[in-house]
Amino acid sequence: MFRRVGRFAVHRPWLTIAGWIIAAVALALLAPGLKSTTDETEFLPSHYESVQVGNLQEKAFPKTEQPAAIAVFQRTDGGKLTDADRRDVIKVAGGLDGKHREKIAKVVTGPQAVSPNGEIALANIIATTKNAYDEQLPKSVKQLREDAKQLLDGTQLKVGITGQAATTLDSQESSGDTDAMIMSATLLLIIVLLLVIFRSPLIAILPVLIIAVVSVVATGLIGTAAELGGLKADASISAILIVVLFGVGTDYILFLLFRYREHLRAGQEPKQALEDAVAKVGETIASAAGAVIVAFLALLLSTMGMMRAMGPSLAISVAVTLVAALTLVPAVFSLLGTKAFWPSKAWKKQSKNRFANGVGNLVSRRPGIMAVLSTAVLAVLAVGAFGFKAEFDTSSQMSQKLESVQAMKDMQRGFSAGQSDPAMVYLKSKDGSPLDKAGLETFRGKLETVDGVAKAAPAVTNPDGSVAQYSVVLKYAPSNEKAIELAGGELRDKAHAAAPSGSEALVGGTSAVLSDIQDAVGHDYRLVFPVAGLAIMIILGLLLRSLVAPLYLMIAVALGFGATLGSTVWLFQDYKGENGLLFMLPVIVYLFVVAIGTDYNILMVARLREEVQRGVPPREAIRTAVAQSAPTISAAAIILAGTFGVLMLADNSMLQQMGFAVAFGILLTAFVMAMLLVPTVTSLLGHKAWWPGHQDSPKATAAPADALGTAPHWESEQVRR
């Protein structure tokens, strides 16, 4: 099948290229854009209490105005506010209120908004919408920040705006810079590395142009699928799509180009060499893409909508990349022929790749020692994974220079940390009758006795009195671990138990949402990872026609996952002293290290099988497979790892963790697992590695054991046969 696909693309290049260009233009013009949201409640199923709170609030208080942000005032010298300062606070707040920014209902302050120590004053920025994640709110907060600078002229005050909308604004702006940085770094790395490898400006530029076309098609298809399926992609999906499309796309292009050059060096004509290259590596690329696709689709089993939306999006992007690698890439290089390598003549002669040949010789001569050493390295690093601690306080991982982060710290000098985003407790009558007013005050008193609660505001009831709303300020920041534990634990338990007869209590708010997300993530780890692993094993089994090889390949992948996570724990938790790692980090490692990194294992084992089937002696097959695959794997891994490594330059600790984990994990997968562990274990297992299909050719003959040292198992068995 792959030969037929390759033959069509190679001999009908203009038709193939025209089809891709038409598809790209049509989708760019007609496909709907990607929708995004950062509202965590939209990503949880309805049985979670925080989601039920959102639904109840929608019905009982449909027009309720909600705090969107808080302006934090203080003196420029850090001293106590004078009477004149307090008058200036009221004046500035009134000025901000008079700007009438979109979606901002009012900006209010008063004497009670001054902290007990007299150093901090607050002004609440109230939104006309209950959705603190409304797309317009961050824009309005940005305008208010500029307004405040003018209004503060002539005063001794300074102000910073924090709260949900302000944090969202800072996160979006820093994320936008990160996207640009990722794109620039990715393009630069691809171009420079390909230029170094092939010494051809055309080959350095062409993959970028090809992937750009693929990106347009993939984004259009994802937007269409999202529109038809009602999916919403998380705000971070754009950065991830960049890496997937360019990282995976470059991998598959390199798989093909290295084999194409190998056939040219063997003396084949360009078109025949290209057709044979597609026929040889087509199955490998398809299997590698299949493994990544099923791993991404396993996210559909997630309880979190964010993951369920991300899975199909990433799967579509990889599927489009696969089709392009087997059609568009051969078509483009068919038109260019050997001119694609200009001005280099390296395609005419065998390369003296000392690194690849050295690794190949080492692995083939000392398989036992290399297997033990590589396993030991991964196992030791994996020990650190047992110390993994999930961190849900994403604000603590943002740059400390951001205004929302600094203003939050300033506010905590005078008020409880939870002042900016209180927990919301609702009391609902079970039969719809009005709640007893005396019982409402008693219930509030019980909420204030909960350890960790700073205060609970008096109840606000809906028009028919059947639902009461309490704003409960916690002593901890909303995304702090203690606040999450309190909102999802003791506060909920006490609220449920204290609910008057005939009513029920529900606890929501940011801390409660994060508590529910914590439970959902734990559920997903226990379900998604095993299902994805099983699916990848099935694909490996179909590719290799073996039950044994997929088992040790997945064990190796599990070791790589543990080693990656363990190394990140040791660096950030133990060495840098951070409280924990981003709670989504294991999923990110799974997406890019396990799923995409499996490509390198597939490439190595498929090449090893090919060499054995040709009748090459097993020891020589190991050496050749490693020597021929190492340059491809090295180049692909360095591009992908380098792309993520750029994130370590960001001020955001969360991005630093992500960058290190994925970059280091990809390098471990490529240079330790794929080049050392997988081929050596395959060598040691010998003929048994291919059971029951026995893909090793019976024509293979082994050199005598005394000429090669201790023969691998399959060599001994071949000699006996």
Side-chain angles (χ1 to χ4, degrees):
M1 181 186 78
F2 295 104
R3 182 173 293 279
R4 289 197 297 272
V5 172
R7 185 181 296 120
F8 180 90
V10 169
H11 294 285
R12 292 177 176 80
W14 286 114
L15 181 60
T16 304
I17 294 171
W20 275 95
I21 292 176
I22 291 171
V25 172
L27 287 168
L29 294 175
L30 303 176
L34 287 177
K35 297 178 180 179
S36 64
T37 180
T38 52
D39 184 355
E40 289 92 340
T41 59
E42 294 192 26
F43 297 130
L44 288 169
S46 59
H47 67 268
Y48 283 98
E49 187 168 326
S50 59
V51 178
Q52 295 173 15
V53 165
N55 295 333
L56 176 62
Q57 183 187 47
E58 182 73 30
K59 294 177 182 178
F61 302 94
K63 297 181 180 179
T64 301
E65 297 174 344
Q66 295 290 332
I70 293 179
V72 181
F73 294 87
Q74 61 181 314
R75 284 183 59 84
T76 54
D77 60 9
K80 289 189 176 183
L81 298 170
T82 65
D83 290 340
D85 293 331
R86 298 186 185 197
R87 288 192 294 271
D88 285 337
V89 169
I90 295 173
K91 180 180 177 182
V92 172
L96 293 175
D97 185 52
K99 296 296 183 179
H100 302 296
R101 296 302 183 185
E102 188 175 352
K103 294 293 180 76
I104 301 298
K106 54 189 175 183
V107 180
V108 295
T109 187
Q112 72 281 3
V114 178
S115 64
N117 62 11
E119 295 180 359
I120 305 294
L122 305 179
N124 286 317
I125 300 171
I126 310 298
T128 58
T129 172
K130 303 188 310 301
N131 182 13
Y133 299 94
D134 185 281
E135 292 182 3
Q136 178 58 39
L137 281 180
K139 299 176 184 177
S140 296
V141 168
K142 186 174 184 177
Q143 293 170 333
L144 288 176
R145 283 176 172 173
E146 294 300 319
D147 296 336
K149 292 178 182 178
Q150 300 174 7
L151 294 169
L152 287 172
D153 284 345
T155 73
Q156 300 298 314
L157 299 172
K158 62 179 180 178
V159 66
I161 299 181
T162 187
Q164 287 183 335
T167 301
T168 300
L169 169 65
D170 290 339
S171 178
Q172 288 175 348
E173 291 187 340
S174 59
S175 176
D177 295 340
T178 300
D179 284 359
M181 180 175 63
I182 291 175
M183 177 64 82
S184 301
T186 302
L187 295 179
L188 182 63
L189 280 167
I190 291 174
I191 292 171
V192 170
L193 191 55
L194 290 178
L195 191 60
V196 170
I197 294 170
F198 292 98
R199 302 170 193 172
S200 164
L202 269 178
I203 290 184
I205 296 296
L206 279 174
V208 174
L209 298 178
I210 290 170
I211 296 169
V213 174
V214 173
S215 176
V216 173
V217 174
T219 304
L221 290 176
I222 293 169
T224 302
E227 182 75 14
L228 296 176
L231 299 176
K232 288 188 178 181
D234 178 62
S236 64
I237 191 68
S238 58
I240 296 177
L241 280 176
I242 291 171
V243 176
V244 169
L245 287 167
F246 281 88
V248 174
T250 305
D251 277 6
Y252 297 164
I253 291 174
L254 287 175
F255 288 2
L256 185 64
L257 286 184
F258 271 95
R259 182 55 70 94
Y260 174 43
R261 188 175 67 177
E262 185 181 331
H263 288 314
L264 287 175
R265 286 172 172 172
Q268 288 187 329
E269 291 298 317
K271 287 188 181 296
Q272 186 60 48
L274 198 52
E275 183 181 322
D276 287 349
V278 176
K280 290 288 186 182
V281 300
E283 185 181 21
T284 301
I285 294 175
S287 299
V292 177
I293 288 170
V294 298
F296 287 161
L297 288 179
L299 293 176
L300 287 170
L301 300 174
S302 171
T303 56
M304 296 179 64
M306 177 179 63
M307 292 289 99
R308 290 198 305 275
M310 185 184 295
S313 299
L314 297 179
I316 289 171
S317 67
V318 174
V320 174
T321 305
L322 165 64
V323 176
L326 299 179
T327 58
L328 182 58
V329 175
V332 170
F333 282 90
S334 174
L335 290 176
L336 294 172
T338 57
K339 294 177 182 177
F341 296 96
W342 180 89
S344 172
K345 302 293 184 182
W347 61 271
K348 293 183 176 181
K349 56 185 178 181
Q350 291 293 335
S351 173
K352 296 179 181 179
N353 195 323
R354 293 184 176 85
F355 169 74
N357 289 322
V359 173
N361 288 328
L362 181 63
V363 168
S364 63
R365 291 176 181 175
R366 298 287 186 271
I369 294 175
M370 296 312 300
V372 170
L373 287 177
S374 54
T375 301
V377 168
L378 295 175
V380 169
L381 292 176
V383 171
F386 293 104
F388 173 76
K389 182 180 178 183
E391 175 62 79
F392 288 81
D393 186 3
T394 54
S395 62
S396 68
Q397 298 174 341
M398 295 172 66
S399 171
Q400 301 304 298
K401 299 176 183 178
L402 295 175
E403 181 173 328
S404 60
V405 176
Q406 190 58 53
M408 177 66 72
K409 288 184 176 179
D410 293 336
M411 186 186 72
Q412 291 174 15
R413 286 170 39 210
F415 294 92
S416 295
Q419 183 79 32
S420 65
D421 188 5
M424 304 304 295
V425 179
Y426 289 83
L427 200 60
K428 180 180 69 170
S429 172
K430 292 181 179 180
D431 59 7
S433 61
L435 296 165
D436 177 61
K437 293 184 179 180
L440 294 181
E441 185 60 25
T442 301
F443 181 74
R444 185 181 78 86
K446 291 182 179 179
L447 291 178
E448 289 192 325
T449 64
V450 177
D451 187 25
V453 171
K455 64 177 181 179
V460 176
T461 58
N462 67 333
D464 65 12
S466 62
V467 179
Q469 178 189 67
Y470 297 87
S471 178
V472 181
V473 177
L474 306 182
K475 294 179 180 179
Y476 318 107
S479 55
N480 182 275
E481 181 184 1
K482 292 182 178 178
I484 296 170
E485 184 179 349
L486 176 61
E490 187 177 0
L491 180 58
R492 267 187 180 158
D493 294 340
K494 290 288 182 65
H496 294 168
S501 177
S503 67
E504 64 174 327
L506 297 171
V507 177
T510 299
S511 301
V513 169
L514 292 175
S515 176
D516 289 340
I517 288 178
Q518 191 173 34
D519 292 340
V521 169
H523 169 272
D524 291 349
Y525 288 167
R526 295 188 296 271
L527 176 63
V528 175
F529 286 6
V531 170
L534 180 61
I536 293 174
M537 283 183 62
I538 291 173
I539 287 180
L540 290 173
L542 293 174
L543 168 68
L544 303 174
R545 283 80 167 176
S546 166
L547 294 178
V548 176
L551 287 174
Y552 68 78
L553 285 175
M554 288 310 299
I555 292 174
V557 166
L559 269 177
F561 174 86
T564 301
L565 195 59
S567 301
T568 311
V569 168
W570 276 344
L571 176 62
F572 287 91
Q573 284 185 204
D574 298 336
Y575 178 72
K576 296 186 69 176
E578 296 188 2
N579 293 330
L581 302 180
L582 174 66
F583 71 97
M584 292 296 294
L585 192 63
V587 173
I588 293 168
V589 172
Y590 154 76
L591 289 176
F592 295 104
V593 178
V594 174
I596 297 178
T598 301
D599 289 1
Y600 308 141
N601 288 339
I602 291 175
L603 180 68
M604 180 63 72
V605 175
R607 184 56 188 259
L608 178 58
R609 182 192 62 177
E610 181 184 327
E611 294 299 322
V612 173
Q613 287 178 331
R614 287 174 50 216
V616 176
R619 185 66 61 86
E620 180 63 19
I622 292 285
R623 191 199 68 77
T624 302
V626 174
Q628 293 292 346
S629 300
T632 310
I633 292 173
S634 301
I638 289 172
I639 288 176
L640 192 58
T643 299
F644 273 98
V646 173
L647 294 178
M648 295 182 68
L649 301 176
D651 289 333
N652 191 320
S653 175
M654 176 179 64
L655 294 178
Q656 292 174 1
Q657 293 170 16
M658 186 190 307
F660 172 80
V662 177
F664 188 70
I666 288 293
L667 295 177
L668 272 182
T669 299
F671 291 97
V672 178
M673 191 191 309
M675 290 188 198
L676 301 179
L677 181 58
V678 168
T680 53
V681 171
T682 305
S683 173
L684 293 171
L685 287 174
H687 192 59
K688 297 184 181 69
W690 311 105
W691 184 88
H694 294 307
Q695 290 295 296
D696 49 338
S697 171
K699 295 180 181 179
T701 56
D706 56 358
L708 291 170
T710 303
H713 293 176
W714 68 19
E715 293 187 47
S716 301
E717 186 164 336
Q718 292 285 358
V719 170
R720 288 197 300 272
R721 294 170 60 189

